[in-house]
Amino acid sequence: MSEDYVGQLTDRQKGFLPDHLGLEWLEARPGYVKGRFEVKTHHLAPNTFLHAASVIALADSACGYGCIISRPDGALNFTTIELKSNFLGTTREGGVSVEASLVHGGRTTQVWDAVVTAEATGKTIALFRCTQMILYPK
């Protein structure tokens, strides 16, 4: 990938879940990804609170995209081998943003942390961590 990571990640997600959820990417570079979505009805659970899966989709996509642009030389791809999320709050409207950062960038694994916030209040909605296994040609 070249240096226009935001454009490439946006193109990459067309037709896939992140696209259907309206995820937008604001900044992307090796080791860091920032994105957001505007809350719509399809992001909510039937109880009218933000669905946990919407929050996880935003955080996991940011970390996964970060892994793609931060992979070691010779790596082809990655797959998630573990993820964890702590939910601390919610929102029913407005924007939801994420900042994902590389914590460990090894040859065979990467560990990413992400913080998801409600844009209107700045309050943290979730803390997220995932481990990615780096895939190489056989």
Side-chain angles (χ1 to χ4, degrees):
M1 288 190 160
S2 70
E3 303 246 351
D4 178 21
Y5 296 118
V6 169
Q8 290 179 37
L9 296 175
T10 300
D11 288 344
R12 181 184 183 101
Q13 75 182 20
K14 286 185 180 164
F16 293 97
L17 181 64
D19 187 36
H20 290 290
L21 291 174
L23 305 189
E24 304 170 45
W25 306 106
L26 308 174
E27 187 177 344
R29 63 180 185 272
Y32 179 83
V33 174
K34 182 177 183 179
R36 68 176 306 278
F37 67 79
E38 195 68 27
V39 175
K40 307 282 186 212
T41 304
H42 63 266
H43 294 112
L44 303 177
N47 66 1
T48 72
F49 287 103
L50 192 59
H51 198 294
S54 296
V55 175
I56 290 172
L58 178 63
D60 191 49
S61 295
C63 294
Y65 288 169
C67 186
I68 290 272
I69 62 177
S70 304
R71 64 184 176 232
D73 290 339
L76 292 179
N77 215 331
F78 76 97
T79 190
T80 302
I81 56 176
E82 183 178 39
L83 60 83
K84 179 186 184 340
S85 189
N86 292 101
F87 297 97
L88 308 174
T90 192
T91 189
R92 294 178 172 178
E93 60 187 16
V96 175
S97 63
V98 65
E99 290 190 53
S101 300
L102 179 64
V103 176
H104 165 75
R107 178 165 159 57
T108 58
T109 60
Q110 289 186 5
V111 177
W112 285 79
D113 282 348
V115 178
V116 180
T117 59
E119 291 177 351
T121 63
K123 289 187 178 181
T124 300
I125 292 174
L127 301 173
F128 178 91
R129 173 169 274 191
C130 66
T131 303
Q132 313 287 16
M133 180 171 62
I134 307 300
L135 303 175
Y136 291 89
K138 292 187 177 206

